[in-house]
Amino acid sequence: MARGYTEECIRKAGSLIEHEDPNVSLKAVTFLMDRAWGKPTQPISGDDDGPPLKNLVEVRFVKPEDRRGG
């Protein structure tokens, strides 16, 4: 049902680009650019001076009986 409002939402955001409040305008621009081109990727780093981390943590959800071996 929400997807039925897609065109209306995009038009509304487009009309807010020229809004007098710069915060409203920036949010509209960000919304439209994120939908058009995707959000920019951000590297994950361990500390401010270090390089981006290469290893990511894998999370698995298991049923309680699986942990007992059965």
Side-chain angles (χ1 to χ4, degrees):
M1 286 176 31
R3 289 181 180 174
Y5 291 99
T6 299
E7 188 174 334
E8 184 179 341
C9 291
I10 297 296
R11 289 184 192 281
K12 180 64 175 179
S15 73
L16 293 174
I17 290 174
E18 300 294 328
H19 196 278
E20 63 186 47
D21 182 342
N23 291 320
V24 172
S25 179
L26 180 60
K27 286 181 182 181
V29 168
T30 302
F31 170 83
L32 289 171
M33 294 301 290
D34 286 349
R35 268 99 194 133
W37 300 103
K39 294 185 179 193
T41 59
Q42 295 182 358
I44 301 171
S45 63
D47 58 50
D48 292 340
D49 298 326
L53 297 175
K54 303 267 186 206
N55 299 322
L56 296 177
V57 174
E58 181 177 327
V59 177
R60 294 184 184 201
F61 295 93
V62 297
K63 295 179 185 176
E65 62 270 16
D66 291 343
R67 287 187 282 157
R68 293 187 301 243

